[in-house]
């Protein structure tokens, strides 16, 4: 009986005993699908750190200026802001008047003239792209909507024959909309 118990218990006990000799393990690096794509080079890390440092310094200048003025804007800064607002409002009004004009002629030539004078900024002339948002061949994003500055934004063309539901009715035979003959 003792022998039978020994044979039954011994295999299960051996499973919990650590082997004395360890197998040799070799190190193998396993790369995932996106490993290596998002890693940064030392130049990129240095550039990011420089950007962080510049942003921190700019923030410190702003905080120092706020502490000096008690959090209020000086009269000179307020006058400068007001001048910028007046200038932008005037330019926006001129562009809006051009876009909504009811003249008999085409407004494109007038729009081109205003663009050449620098009154209108477009994606190709005047608007500044954000270099920090340039990715995968993109030149970067523009902070403003460029389409609002085009000459025909408020003068749309509507095709009177482009009725979607009429096309569906024609496709299915009109559903009883046929005139009595």
């Amino acid at each position: 009986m003792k022998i039978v118990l020994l044979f039954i218990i011994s295999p299960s006990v051996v499973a919990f005993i650590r082997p004395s000799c360890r197998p040799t393990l070799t190190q193998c690096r396993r790369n995932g699908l996106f490993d290596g794509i998002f890693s940064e080079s030392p130049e990129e890390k240095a550039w990011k750190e420089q950007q962080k440092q510049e942003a921190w310094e700019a923030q410190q200048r702003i905080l120092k200026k706020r502490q000096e003025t008690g959090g209020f804007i000086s009269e000179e800064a307020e006058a400068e802001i007001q001048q910028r607002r007046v200038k932008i409002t005037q330019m926006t009004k001129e562009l809006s008047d051009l876009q909504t004009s009811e003249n008999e002629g085409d407004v494109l030539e007038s729009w081109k003239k205003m663009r050449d004078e620098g009154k209108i900024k477009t994606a190709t002339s005047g608007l500044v792209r954000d270099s920090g948002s340039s990715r995968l061949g993109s030149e970067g994003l523009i902070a403003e909507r460029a389409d609002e500055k085009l000459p025909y934004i408020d003068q749309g063309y509507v095709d009177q024959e482009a009725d979607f539901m009429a096309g569906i009715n024609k496709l299915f035979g009109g559903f009883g909309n046929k005139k009595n003959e």
Side-chain angles (χ1 to χ4, degrees):
M1 180 82 166
K2 290 182 183 181
I3 297 175
V4 173
L5 270 176
L6 183 63
F7 283 120
I8 294 174
I9 295 175
S10 66
S12 60
V13 172
V14 172
F16 295 106
I17 298 174
R18 191 180 221 181
S20 60
C21 67
R22 293 184 182 176
T24 307
L25 296 176
T26 59
Q27 293 233 335
C28 177
R29 181 176 177 181
R30 294 180 183 224
N31 289 332
L33 180 63
F34 296 111
D35 288 350
I37 293 177
F38 300 110
S39 62
E40 296 176 334
S41 68
E43 294 86 20
E44 290 173 336
K45 285 182 182 180
W47 180 80
K48 274 190 173 182
E49 286 300 319
Q50 180 186 2
Q51 294 296 318
K52 286 181 187 178
Q53 184 66 26
E54 289 173 4
W56 185 81
E57 289 170 358
Q59 184 181 23
Q60 293 304 312
R61 284 193 301 271
I62 292 170
L63 290 173
K64 184 179 178 183
K65 189 174 182 181
R66 283 185 188 167
Q67 288 174 353
E68 290 172 355
T69 62
F72 297 102
I73 298 175
S74 66
E75 292 180 15
E76 297 85 24
E78 191 172 344
E80 180 185 330
I81 291 169
Q82 193 63 28
Q83 288 175 353
R84 281 196 320 248
R85 287 180 179 168
V86 167
K87 183 179 176 186
I88 290 172
T89 303
Q90 180 184 9
M91 288 173 38
T92 304
K93 182 168 179 8
E94 288 178 23
L95 178 61
S96 178
D97 290 344
L98 176 75
Q99 289 171 335
T100 58
S101 68
E102 300 286 331
N103 294 348
E104 293 293 323
D106 192 13
V107 297
L108 183 60
E109 293 303 320
S110 302
W111 181 84
K112 285 181 180 179
K113 182 180 176 188
M114 286 178 67
R115 183 190 61 189
D116 293 339
E117 292 172 355
K119 293 181 180 179
I120 300 173
K121 295 180 180 178
T122 62
T124 56
S125 65
L127 291 179
V128 179
R129 293 182 179 269
D130 178 24
S131 61
S133 65
S134 61
R135 306 272 189 287
L136 299 174
S138 169
E139 295 177 12
L141 301 175
I142 299 174
E144 302 175 43
R145 284 188 56 184
D147 64 333
E148 289 180 340
K149 301 180 184 326
L150 296 176
Y152 302 113
I153 190 164
D154 289 332
Q155 300 173 2
Y157 171 74
V158 178
D159 186 7
Q160 300 300 326
E161 296 177 6
D163 185 12
F164 179 73
M165 291 308 292
I168 297 288
N169 283 339
K170 285 180 186 177
L171 181 66
F172 292 109
F175 291 115
N177 290 338
K178 295 180 181 179
K179 294 180 182 178
N180 293 334
E181 296 179 8

